[in-house]
Amino acid sequence: LRGRVWLLLADKQVQPKRGVFDQMCQASAESQRQPDKYQFSILIEQDLHQCFPVSQPFDGMGGSTRDTIRRILHAYAFYNPKVGYTEGMCLLVGLMLTHLHAEDAFWLLDAIVHGYGMEHIYTGDMHRLHVDNLVVDELLRMVDVELHQQLRDLSIEPIMFLPGWILPIFVRTLPWATLVRVWDMFMCYGYTFLLRTAVAILCLCRQTLLQLPHEQRRMMTLRHLVFVPPGALSEVNVLNRALELPVTNKEIVRMEATAERLLQERVPSDATLEQEEGVRRAPSMQGKPMTKKTLRVLLGRKNYVERWTMRTVRSYPQVIMCSVSFSQSTATPFMTVLPPCRHEAADKSSSLCWP
């Protein structure tokens, strides 16, 4: 029943075409037989091996197996070559196949990619994640200044753990009962609910994060955010905390639009600023204190700022992408830092600061 409801909720986004799924399966037959010839095939096989090992057989609706997941992913890579395959998509298909037959899962995947904003996550430099980094950071500052400040002091930004949450839409992060309820809300309300869920998880981890010992606190915090303990992540806790955020979905959309503009604006280099101002600046550009006017522009609602006090100084280092890989022998996470996102209007020495 849940799968049918997901299809109904995604009805405006999904456009099934008779026979297309079978055609794509036939077109991708060679890539399935000879995966070494195609880059996306190699990635699919690696992800399948990690997420659905042969030693733990997958049993989905209608007799779906691990091979069914492979067939759908190869077919979709041919159907939508712009997206191809991105890490985590096999987990989405696996979850769908527990509620849907193969062809329905294929079209629901297409609806999520095109209609729910995941296309901007799965293509290019994952620009959407850089936008989400700013939005989640600001939402956390609004609801929990103490936790936000501790993460800032540890030089931890949301983008260091968000990819592992957002790319597979929390399949790796949430317990099953909570996960399917979050998917219900995601299919109903769209991408903004994923950001609400991310902030809710951070708030529910608050007590543990604030009580970590000072020795190696940064490493332990990152590990805790990558492998989130499921204890506090019940469906009631996560959904209530996500829905209680003091912003509307429209305001989150405005925040995303503002963050998008900030990422695209040209930020002067430190050398230029030194020359113009005649003063020696620190190596990283410091942001200005958050003002009521700035927050009013950010949210687009004049009376909102009266409920919050502006205490923190905004400072954003250059946004980087972090992906989490896993060692099969030790199951120990290690962070791989990727080059910073390149934008048309940003130069190499730019730092990102809040206006």
Side-chain angles (χ1 to χ4, degrees), residues 126-317:
M126 301 182 183
H127 173 71
R128 182 79 180 250
L129 284 174
H130 296 272
V131 175
D132 295 343
N133 175 60
L134 300 184
V135 175
V136 170
D137 184 81
E138 182 62 20
L139 289 172
L140 179 63
R141 190 197 63 80
M142 291 176 181
V143 298
D144 196 329
V145 175
E146 185 180 2
L147 177 58
H148 175 269
Q149 188 59 51
Q150 174 163 308
L151 294 179
R152 176 56 55 82
D153 293 341
L154 296 173
S155 299
I156 295 176
E157 293 196 43
I159 205 165
M160 293 181 174
F161 50 85
L162 269 184
W165 294 3
I166 300 294
L167 286 174
I169 312 184
F170 297 103
V171 174
R172 284 195 181 109
T173 308
L174 297 174
W176 180 259
T178 307
L179 175 65
V180 292
R181 291 292 291 121
V182 167
W183 269 60
D184 293 343
M185 302 297 283
F186 166 60
M187 300 304 298
C188 185
Y189 293 108
Y191 190 84
T192 56
F193 196 79
L194 298 186
L195 301 183
R196 288 179 175 273
T197 303
V199 178
I201 293 173
L202 286 169
C203 291
L204 292 171
C205 294
R206 179 184 196 277
Q207 185 175 359
T208 302
L209 294 177
L210 292 179
Q211 292 178 353
L212 290 175
H214 289 281
E215 298 80 9
Q216 298 183 328
R217 172 174 283 186
R218 186 174 189 274
M219 184 190 70
M220 295 177 67
T221 299
L222 283 172
R223 183 180 178 84
H224 190 91
L225 293 173
V226 172
F227 301 107
V228 183
L233 303 181
S234 68
E235 54 184 304
V236 174
N237 288 343
V238 172
L239 294 183
N240 285 348
R241 189 60 62 94
L243 293 171
E244 288 172 357
L245 289 183
V247 288
T248 65
N249 288 340
K250 289 183 178 180
E251 289 169 340
I252 294 177
V253 171
R254 292 193 196 108
M255 294 172 73
E256 288 183 310
T258 301
E260 178 82 29
R261 289 196 299 271
L262 291 174
L263 286 172
Q264 292 179 348
E265 286 176 357
R266 180 180 295 278
V267 181
S269 65
D270 291 339
T272 303
L273 290 168
E274 290 173 15
Q275 184 177 3
E276 290 178 353
E277 298 178 8
V279 295
R280 180 70 183 174
R281 295 179 60 86
S284 61
M285 186 189 305
Q286 299 299 313
K288 295 186 295 186
M290 175 67 81
T291 65
K292 291 185 177 181
K293 180 180 178 181
T294 301
L295 188 55
R296 189 162 61 243
V297 171
L298 183 65
L299 293 179
R301 194 167 80 183
K302 293 182 179 180
N303 62 352
Y304 183 87
V305 295
E306 301 303 327
R307 284 181 280 167
W308 307 99
T309 57
M310 304 303 105
R311 296 178 181 175
T312 59
V313 174
R314 309 297 297 167
S315 174
Y316 280 89

Side-chain angles (χ1 to χ4, degrees), residues 88-108:
M89 289 175 68
C90 74
L91 291 171
L92 304 190
V93 174
L95 175 60
M96 293 175 192
L97 287 176
T98 62
H99 298 90
L100 294 166
H101 294 286
E103 186 169 357
D104 290 333
F106 174 86
W107 290 114
L108 183 60

